[in-house]
């Protein structure tokens, strides 16, 4: 009985054998000789899922776009193997010079090379490449070489030349366009250089332009496509937490999401405002948009921490969104504790809370937890969009930076439009963000411009 290999659009050999009657399974395995049994774990076409195999056709870029844990890394590693390996261990493959490009050198090494689904884990012993750490490269027994490159250093791709490349998580690179451009100039060896791109989708320019190219082909899969290789508790938890959210559609379903029409904040704007290091701030506040109900189905209580440098004139001020500490299903005392804990953690100067619906109760709850907390209640006299627009203008001016992992907050931000919020539920995180930046930037700037006032 010959080995059954997967073809695009068809069930894999592994799926076939796992669902076959016991007698067919036994017959299949008994019919294999010792060499075939040893080779079976490394025959990726047998074990692969359709989205992990390259499509047919004369393409230059193959984008594997999928959710977290969908098997993208394994597909990229196996594609590199298929490019460099020949029929026998010392036979030449189709490609001899490969670029491995990730966000950092460390991520290339730890994920693409040494990871559980990386190149070394996928390679049989007689074809496994050697890692030359000092030269940051893999060398195969047949002489093929793969060199490591970082998206933090696009210029590192100026000079080398390749006939293939594997690019990982391009959608989160900070210098994505520059690095991608330099790689294209370096892919100039062989008859038909190709690149495999494995990424979770994000609404960034370099990925959108790549997908538009007529020389690009795409395969796609959600996280559940690889459920057999993932912990059940992981799938249950992330689906319960992120089902129905834009973040869930992006990170689990692997769907590239466009911004809402007329969004006050765009994904491109938010991608451009990230910084890595925590800045010094003259003031730090914690802003709270309290939930009026508690329980699993209640709205979130938005809790956002932000700081600002307010030296000189208002046009020189900078704000930094430091953390999103939002809680859901919390009782009033629980969200109050969460807000005060955030103040202690970040050394905040003041707690700002909207009191439109909770009124005096909001202050009383907070005072019960900490009677001495510096507190300010704020009352919304205008609608959410009117309050958010001047804050969005600060982003357009490049005066706000995001420090932490704020994807859920940013998801809400990209759904806030001039017509209102186009997401489900209430944008509690955005409300808290808006109150924080009003307190740090907009209100002090208005006072600064009053006659006779030049410091705060």
């Amino acid at each position: 009985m010959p080995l059954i290999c997967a073809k695009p659009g068809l069930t894999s050999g592994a799926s076939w054998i796992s669902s076959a009657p016991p007698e067919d399974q036994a017959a299949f395995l008994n019919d294999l000789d010792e060499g075939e049994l040893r080779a079976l774990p490394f025959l990726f076409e047998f074990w692969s899922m359709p989205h992990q195999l390259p499509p047919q056709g004369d393409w230059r870029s193959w984008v594997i776009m999928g959710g977290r844990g969908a098997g993208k890394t394994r597909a990229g590693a196996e594609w590199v193997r298929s490019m460099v390996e020949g029929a026998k261990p010392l036979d030449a493959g189709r490609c001899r010079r490969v670029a491995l490009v990730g966000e950092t050198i460390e991520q290339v090494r730890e994920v693409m090379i040494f990871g559980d689904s990386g190149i070394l884990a996928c390679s049989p012993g007689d074809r496994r490449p050697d890692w030359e750490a000092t030269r940051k490269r893999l060398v195969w027994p047949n002489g093929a070489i793969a060199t490591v490159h970082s998206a933090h250093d696009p210029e590192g791709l100026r000079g080398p030349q390749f006939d293939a490349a594997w690019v990982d998580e391009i959608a989160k690179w900070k210098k994505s366009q520059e690095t991608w451009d330099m790689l294209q100039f370096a892919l100039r060896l062989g008859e038909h250089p190709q690149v495999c791109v494995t990424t979770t989708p994000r609404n960034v320019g370099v990925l959108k332009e790549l997908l538009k190219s007529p020389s690009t082909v795409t395969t796609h899969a959600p996280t559940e496509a690889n459920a057999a290789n993932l912990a059940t508790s992981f799938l249950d938890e992330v689906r319960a937490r992120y089902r129905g959210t834009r973040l869930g559609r992006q990170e689990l379903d692997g769907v590239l999401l466009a911004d809402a029409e007329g969004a006050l904040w765009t994904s491109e704007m938010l991608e451009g405002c990230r910084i890595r290091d925590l800045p010094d701030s003259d003031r730090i506040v914690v802003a709270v948009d309290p939930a009026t109900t508690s329980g699993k189905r209640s709205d979130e209580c938005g809790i956002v921490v932000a700081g600002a440098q307010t030296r000189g004139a208002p046009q020189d001020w900078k704000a930094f969104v430091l953390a999103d500490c939002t809680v859901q299903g919390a009782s009033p005392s629980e969200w109050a504790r969460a807000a005060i804990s955030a103040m202690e953690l970040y050394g905040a100067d003041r707690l700002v809370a909207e009191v439109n619906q909770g009124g005096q109760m909001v202050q009383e709850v907070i005072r019960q937890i900490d009677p001495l907390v510096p507190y300010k209640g704020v009352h919304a006299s205008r609608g959410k969009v009117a309050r958010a627009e001047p804050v969005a203008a600060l982003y357009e001016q490049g005066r706000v930076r995001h420090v932490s992992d704020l994807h859920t907050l940013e998801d809400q931000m990209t759904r806030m439009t001039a017509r209102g919020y186009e997401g489900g539920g209430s944008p509690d995180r955005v409300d808290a963000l808006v109150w924080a930046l009003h307190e740090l930037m907009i209100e002090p700037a208005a006072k600064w411009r009053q006659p006779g006032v030049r410091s705060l």
Side-chain angles (χ1 to χ4, degrees):
M1 182 181 298
L3 295 183
I4 300 172
C5 294
K7 300 297 179 185
L10 299 179
T11 304
S12 70
S15 297
W16 176 87
I17 199 67
S18 65
S19 60
E23 58 272 20
D24 288 348
Q25 295 176 344
F28 172 79
L29 295 173
N30 291 334
D31 197 45
L32 301 179
D33 61 31
E34 183 178 352
E36 290 172 332
L37 282 171
R38 289 182 177 181
L40 186 59
F42 301 100
L43 295 177
F44 188 58
E45 283 194 341
F46 181 84
W47 301 104
S48 64
M49 295 171 284
H51 73 276
Q52 294 178 304
L53 293 175
Q56 302 296 317
D58 187 25
W59 49 267
R60 179 175 174 84
S61 301
W62 170 33
V63 179
I64 309 173
M65 199 160 58
R68 300 282 187 95
K72 302 184 297 296
T73 302
R74 178 68 185 271
E78 293 285 0
W79 181 79
V80 171
R81 280 191 60 205
S82 72
M83 292 292 102
V84 301
E85 292 180 6
K88 298 178 180 179
L90 299 181
D91 290 351
R94 175 182 160 187
C95 299
R96 296 187 60 81
R97 294 293 181 270
V98 181
L100 304 176
V101 192
E103 184 177 18
T104 64
I105 296 293
E106 291 74 17
Q107 290 189 3
V108 175
R109 185 180 63 237
E110 299 303 319
V111 177
M112 301 170 72
I113 295 175
F114 286 95
D116 292 339
S117 299
I119 292 171
L120 294 181
C122 297
S123 300
D126 60 349
R127 299 162 187 260
R128 184 173 293 122
D130 292 326
W131 168 242
E132 297 182 354
T134 57
R135 302 186 70 177
K136 297 184 179 64
R137 69 179 194 174
L138 288 171
V139 180
W140 274 264
N142 65 3
I145 295 172
T147 54
V148 171
H149 300 271
S150 165
H152 285 299
D153 181 25
E155 291 298 308
L157 288 163
R158 187 185 293 275
Q161 52 187 355
F162 311 100
D163 47 15
W166 174 21
V167 167
D168 190 46
E169 295 295 356
I170 189 175
K172 71 171 187 172
W173 295 355
K174 289 180 172 54
K175 297 181 179 180
S176 55
Q177 191 63 61
E178 300 96 315
T179 306
W180 179 255
D181 290 342
M182 288 298 99
L183 178 61
Q184 301 316 298
F185 289 118
L187 283 168
R188 55 180 184 262
L189 293 181
E191 295 182 0
H192 185 53
Q194 292 180 309
V195 56
C196 173
V197 179
T198 52
T199 189
T200 305
R202 294 177 73 181
N203 191 20
V204 295
V206 65
L207 181 58
K208 291 189 291 186
E209 291 303 312
L210 174 58
L211 295 175
K212 290 179 184 176
S213 172
S215 63
T216 297
V217 295
T218 305
T219 57
H220 167 268
T223 297
E224 274 89 349
N226 197 31
N229 297 308
L230 300 173
T232 302
S233 59
F234 162 77
L235 291 172
D236 292 342
E237 177 68 19
V238 295
R239 274 301 176 195
R241 180 171 297 186
Y242 299 111
R243 180 183 288 109
T245 69
R246 281 172 60 91
L247 186 63
R249 292 182 65 203
Q250 172 181 286
E251 300 294 322
L252 299 177
D253 296 333
V255 176
L256 181 62
L257 301 175
D259 299 324
E261 184 178 352
L264 299 183
W265 292 275
T266 66
S267 298
E268 183 177 1
M269 181 193 302
L270 296 175
E271 289 294 331
C273 76
R274 302 192 196 286
I275 56 175
R276 299 178 68 88
D277 300 322
L278 190 69
D280 294 328
S281 296
D282 300 317
R283 291 187 67 211
I284 296 176
V285 301
V286 173
V288 181
D289 181 56
T292 56
T293 60
S294 60
K296 292 184 178 180
R297 298 185 180 276
S298 68
D299 287 336
E300 296 174 324
C301 174
I303 303 175
V304 170
V305 185
Q309 295 175 346
T310 53
R311 304 156 200 168
Q315 61 266 27
D316 299 322
W317 297 355
K318 301 289 185 183
F320 309 96
V321 184
L322 305 178
D324 178 5
C325 302
T326 297
V327 294
Q328 184 171 22
S331 66
S333 62
E334 288 171 336
W335 61 250
R337 286 192 181 92
I340 292 172
S341 295
M343 288 192 69
E344 295 171 350
L345 180 61
Y346 288 92
D349 306 287
R350 178 175 288 181
L351 178 62
V352 179
E354 182 181 323
V355 298
N356 275 49
Q357 300 191 49
Q360 185 65 23
M361 180 272 291
V362 174
Q363 180 174 352
E364 291 175 354
V365 170
I366 292 171
R367 295 294 187 203
Q368 288 173 5
I369 306 301
D370 185 349
L372 301 179
V373 65
Y375 167 82
K376 177 181 179 181
V378 290
H379 188 277
S381 59
R382 299 185 297 167
K384 294 180 187 293
V385 173
R387 292 198 309 273
E389 284 178 334
V391 173
L394 295 176
Y395 281 81
E396 291 177 357
Q397 295 161 10
R399 296 170 58 195
V400 184
R401 295 288 184 264
H402 284 193
V403 175
S404 306
D405 182 0
L406 303 170
H407 295 309
T408 307
L409 168 62
E410 292 171 355
D411 173 55
Q412 285 193 356
M413 294 172 73
T414 58
R415 303 182 80 175
M416 178 66 76
T417 76
R419 299 178 300 277
Y421 183 58
E422 297 193 355
S426 176
D428 303 285
R429 298 170 192 257
V430 175
D431 286 343
L433 168 76
V434 167
W435 285 122
L437 296 184
H438 265 273
E439 174 68 19
L440 290 170
M441 300 282 281
I442 294 172
E443 185 176 325
K447 293 180 179 178
W448 192 93
R449 294 186 177 92
Q450 293 176 3
V453 178
R454 286 297 178 269
S455 62
L456 296 168

